[in-house]
Amino acid sequence: MFKKILIANRGEIACRVIKTARRMGIQTVAVYSDADARAPFVQMADEAVHIGPAPAAQSYLIADKIIAACKQTGAEAVHPGYGFLSERTSFAEALAAEGIEFIGPPVGAIAAMGDKIESKKLAKEAGVNVVPGFVGEIEDTEHAVRISNEIGYPVMMKASAGGGGKGMRLAYNEKDVREGFESVKREGLNSFGDDRVFIEKFILNPRHIEIQILGDKHGNILYLNERECSIQRRHQKVVEEAPSPFVTPKMRKAMGEQCVALSRAVGYYSAGTVELIVSGADPTGESFYFLEMNTRLQVEHPVTEAITGVDLVEQMIRVAAGEKLAMTQDDVKIDGWAIENRVYAEDPYRGFLPSTGRLIRYNPPVPGWTDDGAENGRRGVDGVRVDDGVYEGGEVSMFYDPMIAKLVTWGKTRDEAADKQIAALDAFEIEGLGHNIDFVNAIMQHPRFRSGELTTGFIAEEYPEGFHGAATDEGTKRTLAAIAGFLATARADRARQVDQQLGDELDPPAQWSVTIAGSTFAVELTEDDVLVDGEAVDIALEYTPGQRMVACEVDGKPLTVKVEPFRAGFKLTTRGAIHQVQVLPASVAHLTRHMIEKVPPDLSKFLICPMPGLLVALHVGEGDTVEAGQPLAVVEAMKMENILRAEKAGKVKAVNAKAGESLAVDAIILEME
């Protein structure tokens, strides 16, 4: 077994590998950029080597710097994590040339399966179903249009070396192809150094199901069941679960055996994932097609660990060291259900725009996951596991992926796992930047999610106008009104106890007018009850002014509410929605009808940068006439290009920025007349 390994990655996956290596008695080496000098994974490793500036292209993507760090520290092997150099054949070959073991598959398998175009050709030759498409070289936009017309819309344009949702565009017509083809090429070149693009038919009502593969160097290959990864946004996975609610034992066996055969054809070993696109319209489950193979560890691997008890990182290390798998296919079981939500630094209330900045407050529902080696320990604390690589006071940088943490829950049933997600997300505290906690919380409650009727179009179909918070019923409003009245009384009670006040000590108000989302409730606190519109609410809670989280029991069930006071009430966040709650003493509430409503200014004449980023392209100049919906500029943030469009028709009055400039959030790019 290795004595020392280097982790050629950062963030939560670096922490994940270090924890397992430490349990195995293996020393670890971290490599870090300027942006990560104080990151948890750097502190956690036994040694750390600085490898360059913040941009990944100048640090984490330079193989020579990784190899130099191995030589400097005496590391015998490298675990690449995911992303960065994890699927680069040149990196694995360079390590081999230096006598350093690559904790991953053989170079031949990476070459065959890592390139989307070549892997499709190989899969087709092996008799595996592939999605209809064009896998040759595409000359230019006109060629792409001709190909798309021949295949039939909708089509998907993908960067050949792409991954992680980058370098992908869905086109429903010729206009979409003309608009998106060059962007796909640029994203592929900028993120992966490869601008080749392929085009394939987009399967309607598709489910994204993947099979976890594990093999050793002695010819043993197993499949560790499947994961359902259909809930995606911009082709980036958001929710993953294992097993899939769609897959039957017969389907599982057919998919698994086909994926093992494909892996065997390329001499695969280590952990890997074969991704399949499955037609949700075919209840037989026989309409599944090879999509691609990720020759590395997946972000969502913890859900597989939770239901099988298999530590995938440990197995990767053991396989790299030459050990045989200690299990057979018959040993692979399914115990319970696991769901993972990716907590991203993006603001769902602002169209999911990337949100970088400092984590002023970071308090996960349970401590970060520690690898104690116990089979059930892979399920975290009481079935709640947090894998993260951030810390309170640290920054989420614009240079890397926007993921803050992975929240994994395990239950005996799918509903139990989802219920644990809701409770844990309610208790997850993040301040300082936008995040998607409310959004994934809403998904966990959504009737369609609960039914298991999932497709990759779930988010677009269920939130066509964007996300504005989870739907809130009248019962929840009444509960929040009761809570708000209790909180207001507690604040008033503290205020009356301030020393040196004039006059006699007064009792705090006990009657309140509480307004939530257009509904107004009369709340009264008595010695024994909290009354809402004269009816008692079954609620138990304690609150000291200044608390940010309030743990309640409503009708005997736990409820966690985030509390943020403001002048006339509270901002209460729970169950996937933010509620601006106005709380006024009943004696003065009627006077609010005399208050003048403040109307926000009209900003539609400005093109405003919605996030910090790089202005890649500006399509118009001063004096140009534009139409509503016309692309005006392209801003790149966190490796993703965002097209900014005109809100309305008009004429460009002034241009305040130029291509190549770095822009702050809310910077005015141009002004319309």
Side-chain angles (χ1 to χ4, degrees), residues 105-109 112 216-217 219 221 260-270:
V107 171
D216 62 23
K217 295 180 179 180
I221 304 178
V260 165
L262 181 62
S263 303
R264 199 176 297 284
V266 293
Y268 201 88
Y269 56 75
S270 191

Side-chain angles (χ1 to χ4, degrees), residues 13 92 137 155 170 265 288 296 306 308 356 358 360 362 376 397 444 487 564 569 574 584 609 638:
I13 188 57
E137 291 289 332
V155 298
L170 180 58
F288 62 87
R296 54 169 169 78
T308 63
T356 58
R358 190 170 301 282
I360 295 171
Y362 177 74
N376 288 347
S397 169
M444 293 296 98
L487 304 186
E564 186 179 329
T574 191
L584 297 171
C609 187
M638 289 182 169

Side-chain angles (χ1 to χ4, degrees), residues 266-324:
V266 293
Y268 201 88
Y269 56 75
S270 191
T273 296
V274 179
E275 301 197 343
L276 305 170
I277 190 164
V278 183
S279 173
D282 182 2
T284 67
E286 294 176 1
S287 301
F288 62 87
Y289 306 92
F290 171 77
L291 198 58
E292 63 178 317
M293 184 171 189
N294 291 314
T295 55
R296 54 169 169 78
L297 191 68
Q298 293 280 87
V299 175
E300 57 272 21
H301 73 273
V303 293
T304 296
E305 294 184 330
I307 66 164
T308 63
V310 177
D311 185 325
L312 286 166
V313 171
E314 177 183 347
Q315 293 302 319
M316 291 181 75
I317 294 171
R318 292 192 181 281
V319 166
E323 294 186 14
K324 285 186 178 181

Side-chain angles (χ1 to χ4, degrees), residues 219-470:
N220 301 303
I221 304 178
L222 313 175
Y223 63 92
L224 274 62
N225 307 314
E226 80 285 350
R227 293 184 289 259
E228 172 87 54
C229 306
S230 295
I231 297 183
Q232 305 176 6
R233 196 190 66 76
R234 291 185 69 173
H235 316 296
Q236 178 77 50
K237 298 166 189 172
V238 177
V239 181
E240 300 105 349
E241 59 183 307
S244 164
F246 184 71
V247 173
T248 63
K250 181 182 176 183
M251 288 170 61
R252 183 173 298 118
K253 188 172 187 291
M255 290 175 174
E257 288 177 354
Q258 184 169 319
C259 294
V260 165
L262 181 62
S263 303
R264 199 176 297 284
V266 293
Y268 201 88
Y269 56 75
S270 191
T273 296
V274 179
E275 301 197 343
L276 305 170
I277 190 164
V278 183
S279 173
D282 182 2
T284 67
E286 294 176 1
S287 301
F288 62 87
Y289 306 92
F290 171 77
L291 198 58
E292 63 178 317
M293 184 171 189
N294 291 314
T295 55
R296 54 169 169 78
L297 191 68
Q298 293 280 87
V299 175
E300 57 272 21
H301 73 273
V303 293
T304 296
E305 294 184 330
I307 66 164
T308 63
V310 177
D311 185 325
L312 286 166
V313 171
E314 177 183 347
Q315 293 302 319
M316 291 181 75
I317 294 171
R318 292 192 181 281
V319 166
E323 294 186 14
K324 285 186 178 181
L325 293 178
M327 70 192 89
T328 65
Q329 190 64 58
D330 290 339
D331 296 324
V332 179
K333 307 296 182 185
I334 296 178
D335 181 15
W337 212 287
I339 299 175
E340 173 181 294
N341 275 305
R342 301 189 188 189
V343 178
Y344 281 126
E346 60 184 16
D347 191 344
Y349 294 101
R350 297 185 67 198
F352 297 93
L353 293 173
S355 181
T356 58
R358 190 170 301 282
L359 283 164
I360 295 171
R361 185 163 285 115
Y362 177 74
N363 187 23
V366 296
W369 178 74
T370 55
D371 187 357
D372 63 1
E375 184 175 316
N376 288 347
R378 289 174 201 118
R379 297 169 181 168
V381 180
D382 296 326
V384 180
R385 169 176 166 178
V386 174
D387 282 23
D388 59 16
V390 300
Y391 64 100
E392 190 166 281
E395 279 198 54
V396 175
S397 169
M398 66 179 285
F399 296 104
Y400 312 118
D401 188 87
M403 191 165 66
I404 298 170
K406 300 185 306 198
L407 177 65
V408 184
T409 55
W410 176 90
K412 292 179 181 178
T413 65
R414 187 170 184 263
D415 280 342
E416 184 184 337
D419 288 342
K420 286 185 178 180
Q421 280 283 343
I422 294 167
L425 288 163
D426 278 346
F428 209 133
E429 196 177 7
I430 296 175
E431 290 182 19
L433 41 73
H435 56 76
N436 69 335
I437 285 176
D438 286 352
F439 179 61
V440 291
N441 200 331
I443 290 175
M444 293 296 98
Q445 302 169 63
H446 200 289
R448 183 172 161 191
F449 173 78
R450 290 295 186 138
S451 73
E453 297 296 321
L454 311 178
T455 70
T456 54
F458 176 92
I459 290 175
E461 291 159 11
E462 299 302 325
Y463 302 97
E465 304 300 322
F467 179 72
H468 307 290

Side-chain angles (χ1 to χ4, degrees), residues 1-7 16-28 77-80 101-104 214-215 217 270-271 297 311-323 325 371:
M1 182 49 67
F2 307 117
K3 291 187 173 71
K4 185 185 290 187
I5 65 173
L6 181 145
I7 296 90
R16 164 73 182 89
V17 176
I18 290 168
K19 289 169 185 175
T20 291
R22 178 187 292 165
R23 174 175 57 77
M24 296 174 69
I26 301 170
Q27 289 191 309
T28 55
V78 172
H79 195 301
E101 193 68 37
F102 179 68
I103 302 176
L214 182 62
K217 295 180 179 180
S270 191
L297 191 68
D311 185 325
L312 286 166
V313 171
E314 177 183 347
Q315 293 302 319
M316 291 181 75
I317 294 171
R318 292 192 181 281
V319 166
E323 294 186 14
L325 293 178
D371 187 357

